[in-house]
Amino acid sequence: MGTMTVMVTRVYANGNMWIEGQKLLSVSQGEEYVRVSGLVRPDDIGPGNSVNSNRIAQANVTYTGAGDIANATKQGWYGQAVNVLSPL
């Protein structure tokens, strides 16, 4: 289990909040980022001003990286060409 800090970037008239944040993870072969955004209700904010991820509506979680690990997972030119010609 991990935690990350987010910021409230918008407060709606009904009190709901749009949150956004990112966390940098440094690994031996590069850097990886976890980004999260979504809608949080005031009732879902718990002790310590925290929110469980399963309480974030319209959650958008992305994971990107740079370095050897990220490069190793990228599809090569042949695989990209096959996907363009036959996307199924």
Side-chain angles (χ1 to χ4, degrees):
M1 180 179 351
T3 61
M4 68 183 297
T5 302
V6 299
M7 292 177 51
V8 175
T9 58
R10 183 172 182 186
V11 178
Y12 295 93
N14 62 1
N16 291 348
M17 296 159 276
W18 188 260
I19 55 142
E20 298 180 26
Q22 86 173 12
K23 185 174 191 174
L24 169 65
L25 306 171
S26 294
V27 293
S28 59
Q29 286 92 12
E31 296 178 336
E32 298 169 351
Y33 291 91
V34 178
R35 292 182 178 95
V36 65
S37 62
L39 192 63
V40 174
R41 299 179 315 154
D43 293 344
D44 293 329
I45 300 173
N49 207 24
S50 62
V51 177
N52 287 330
S53 60
N54 65 346
R55 304 305 301 169
I56 301 173
Q58 299 177 12
N60 182 17
V61 180
T62 57
Y63 178 82
T64 58
D68 293 340
I69 293 175
N71 292 338
T73 61
K74 290 182 181 174
Q75 192 173 42
W77 66 268
Y78 181 77
Q80 291 176 5
V82 169
N83 283 337
V84 168
L85 298 174
S86 178
L88 299 177

